[in-house]
Amino acid sequence: MTVATAMPQAAPMSRQPVWLRDLGLSFAICLFVYATYALAGFPTLADPAGDNDSMLRLVEIRDLLAGQGWYDLHQYRMGLDGGFLMHWSRLIDAPIAAMILLASALGASAPLAEAIALIVWPFLLMTAALFGLTQLARGLGNESVVFPAVALAAGALYFVGIYRPGSIDHHNAQIALTIAVVAMLVHAPRRLALGAWAGVATAVMLAIAMEAAPYVAMAGASVAVCFLVGGAREARITALFGASFAATTLGAFLLTVGPGQWGVAACDALSNVQLALAAIGGAGIAAIALMPLTNATPIRRAAALVVLGLASLAALRLGFPQCLADPYASVDPRLKEIWLNYVAEAQSVVKLAAVDWTKLLAYYLTPALALVVLAVVMLREGATRGRLVYGGFLLAAFLVSCWQVRGSSFAVPLATTALAIGIGMLRERAAAGGAMRSLALVAAWLASFNIVWSAAANAMSTRVAEVAQMEGSDVPCAAVGNFGALAALAPGTVLAVSDLGSPILLNTRHRALAGPYHRNIPGNLAMIDTMFAPAGEGEALARKARVDYVVFCRGSVENRNFENMAPSGLMADLVAGRIPAWLEKVPETDGAAIRIYRVRGD
């Protein structure tokens, strides 16, 4: 028995389609959230607070609008001379650039046009994500579930922090697309066309970035399992999904990968690797679903799916074995030890617990509770198709977050649907009366809001005192206002920690030697070697890399890490105020958050 049959549907309030009302409600809620940002003066536009990817995305869009080729993804102003090839997709650049062009055509100045795009884009994505979670809740429950689903989802999307103004990184788009895929697959038996649209959305989120690969795999697995145990209708859904997935991947490949790169295999971006697997997997499963020879009986379907799976694995193993390795296998071991191991979003649950166990409350508790609630519902009322599809995605997101914390930005929003189902059931029981039932409902509401656990984690954090005592920890290094003096200097190459790379590119005309990107290996190594070197060696390395300026922000966490790792290095000298003779301070930056030192002439 499904939740929908256990809880009677409420009578429709009007003849307006339910989905349209849900969309309007989602829009209104997100508009309210953005109104609060507006009343505060859109602070995240002035201080991106370390959102390096969004800052570099805007740099990339500016370069595109300034004439850099559509297929040319080099970031020429980061790294050593010549820059490096980024792994991002133009599928995110294009709509944001279009918004800037449209605002400019309507008379907005360049800064205003950018600000409009930086506000509108994440707002639209947040609305789409909230609408998707609402539709997912309707697919698994009824009106008793919708209200808590909307409330919890709005709180979760706000909590993850990637839908705030200025957030134009690709993660918020991928989360919205993942939610859409889950909702469409849940609703597909009622509307077959959603199977095709789910395939399109799955291909797009894969084309945007490879972080979505686990959810692409889960979408394929969900469709395959439903086809295996289902009938003719599931076969049609499978055929539509597979065909649209393969076709859309091909379209995205042709649209975003230049002909000169067609033969280049890339594991971290859309390339012939993903195209080959999409062609084999997508077109293959569509063919299996359409052919009576392979779809007539469960045994035939199982055999065909096994053969298809083996063919996909063989293609990957024989054609692209490098993509079976660690995603960061190509990163220099020194960068892993000095940089990657300190990237917060790349930490595992074990490492996070070792550093500060209270953070587990913020990132993992609500998804874990959601899995428990969903398991209880399925044990009591049956493991329906929709619940299994949704549960698979939720479990995948939770496991990914255990591997890397960044997965929690998928798991936390997805968890709200199961928690809303639990609250919906408790609401109906509380309506029958009883103090204990009402108390249980209140407790369920509190436990289901991730922001409650986040606040508890912040209050209990064992690192609050330590962080507060760190010199300059309250200094906003990435704030736009910090870079006026640097922007006024003649263009040159800047030596600074990686977290300052993107804001330097965004706010000045300079080249940044380092940036927090795994493809910028030579530039990052040059920065680390120079910052770790004693005074004399540091000068030689800086001149070899043609460094013109050294920039230091006293609020950067990287400073303390570098100082501890190399107490006799350049960074330790800068932290202590010991300025090497080969550097001269730019006087205008005395007492400023960003301090600038000019490399003296030979």
Side-chain angles (χ1 to χ4, degrees), residues 214-525:
Y215 312 106
V216 172
M218 181 51 61
S222 299
V223 170
V225 171
C226 290
F227 166 65
L228 177 63
V229 301
R233 198 165 184 82
E234 289 292 351
R236 293 175 65 186
I237 294 171
T238 301
L240 289 168
F241 176 90
S244 63
F245 174 67
T248 304
T249 303
L250 174 60
F253 178 84
L254 296 175
L255 180 63
T256 62
V257 180
Q261 296 291 313
W262 287 357
V264 178
C267 305
D268 59 352
L270 182 62
S271 69
N272 54 21
V273 180
Q274 295 77 19
L275 180 61
L277 293 177
I280 296 172
I285 200 169
I288 290 172
L290 291 172
M291 294 169 54
L293 179 65
T294 52
N295 71 11
T297 66
I299 293 179
R300 290 185 182 183
R301 292 195 290 270
L305 289 173
V306 168
V307 171
L308 180 62
L310 291 175
S312 300
L313 288 175
L316 183 60
R317 180 68 181 86
L318 298 177
F320 316 102
Q322 68 274 23
C323 294
L324 291 172
D326 185 319
Y328 297 110
S330 62
V331 177
D332 187 278
R334 286 179 296 166
L335 288 180
K336 289 183 180 180
E337 178 183 356
I338 297 170
W339 165 58
L340 195 58
N341 287 345
Y342 291 90
V343 177
E345 66 177 16
Q347 302 304 306
S348 69
V349 63
V350 175
K351 289 185 178 179
L352 185 65
V355 173
D356 185 0
W357 67 268
T358 62
K359 297 300 182 186
L360 302 182
L361 300 177
Y363 294 119
Y364 298 102
L365 193 53
T366 49
L369 287 173
L371 287 169
V372 172
V373 169
L374 186 62
V376 170
V377 170
M378 288 195 290
L379 286 173
R380 290 182 175 180
E381 302 186 356
T384 63
R385 176 194 181 279
R387 290 168 183 163
L388 289 172
V389 169
Y390 163 66
F393 276 91
L394 177 59
L395 179 60
F398 181 74
L399 293 177
V400 170
S401 70
C402 290
W403 173 51
Q404 288 192 336
V405 173
R406 73 180 75 191
S408 64
S409 59
F410 289 79
V412 170
L414 282 173
T416 59
T417 301
L419 296 172
I421 291 173
I423 289 176
M425 297 173 69
L426 289 175
R427 287 178 70 194
E428 293 200 334
R429 294 178 182 177
M436 292 304 297
R437 291 177 176 178
S438 297
L439 186 60
L441 178 60
V442 172
W445 271 108
L446 290 175
S448 298
F449 275 109
N450 190 268
I451 196 168
V452 171
W453 299 111
S454 179
N458 290 334
M460 299 166 59
S461 178
T462 57
R463 298 193 67 202
V464 169
E466 173 189 341
V467 173
Q469 291 172 2
M470 183 183 296
E471 179 188 0
S473 63
D474 59 339
V475 175
C477 291
V480 174
N482 290 340
F483 295 89
L486 183 61
L489 299 175
T493 299
V494 179
L495 171 66
V497 294
S498 63
D499 276 349
L500 289 178
S502 295
I504 287 172
L505 263 61
L506 180 63
N507 297 295
T508 76
R509 298 171 295 165
H510 301 295
R511 165 197 299 280
L513 196 61
Y517 303 101
H518 67 273
R519 285 193 175 188
N520 184 30
I521 295 175
N524 288 336
L525 285 175

